[in-house]
Amino acid sequence: MDRFAWQDGVALLAGLAALLAPELWADDAGEQPLMVLGALLAIAGLYSLLGAAGPTAWTATAFALLIFVSPWAFAFDGEDAAAWTAWIAGGVATIVGVWGATRTRGGEVAA
């Protein structure tokens, strides 16, 4: 990959935010889903940034969507810091991921 795709950087940062949130500002609420899904999203974003063969943009988008719905699925929607972190990080990464994935055709960015 010749170019830096900023969408992959957003996925990496959103994944790191979800991964670190339970320890830094969310008082261990939603620890397991946020840490696991955050790590998966961060790894997918890192692989894409490095241009390595691995997860596609749709894979990172799926992880981001799972982070977005995790407060409801794992019942930590009453924990404000953890839930808002999941909703913001997951929502932004999902929107950017869908936008970036739909603009990509065959591994190259469409004009």
Side-chain angles (χ1 to χ4, degrees):
M1 179 176 258
D2 298 346
R3 298 178 35 188
F4 171 78
W6 63 272
Q7 295 92 343
D8 301 329
V10 170
L12 175 65
L13 292 176
L16 288 175
L19 174 67
L20 298 174
E23 294 298 322
L24 297 180
W25 60 80
D27 297 328
D28 294 332
E31 183 175 19
Q32 290 178 339
L34 283 178
M35 291 182 82
V36 170
L37 293 171
L40 290 171
L41 180 59
I43 290 169
L46 184 62
Y47 267 73
S48 295
L49 276 174
L50 296 176
T56 65
W58 287 112
T59 305
T61 304
F63 290 142
L65 185 60
L66 288 172
I67 289 172
F68 182 79
V69 300
S70 67
W72 296 296
F74 294 99
F76 64 92
D77 55 337
E79 301 292 334
D80 288 340
W84 278 103
T85 299
W87 292 326
I88 292 170
V92 168
T94 299
I95 291 168
V96 169
V98 167
W99 183 77
T102 57
R103 292 184 41 92
T104 303
R105 290 189 198 138
E108 295 184 3
V109 177

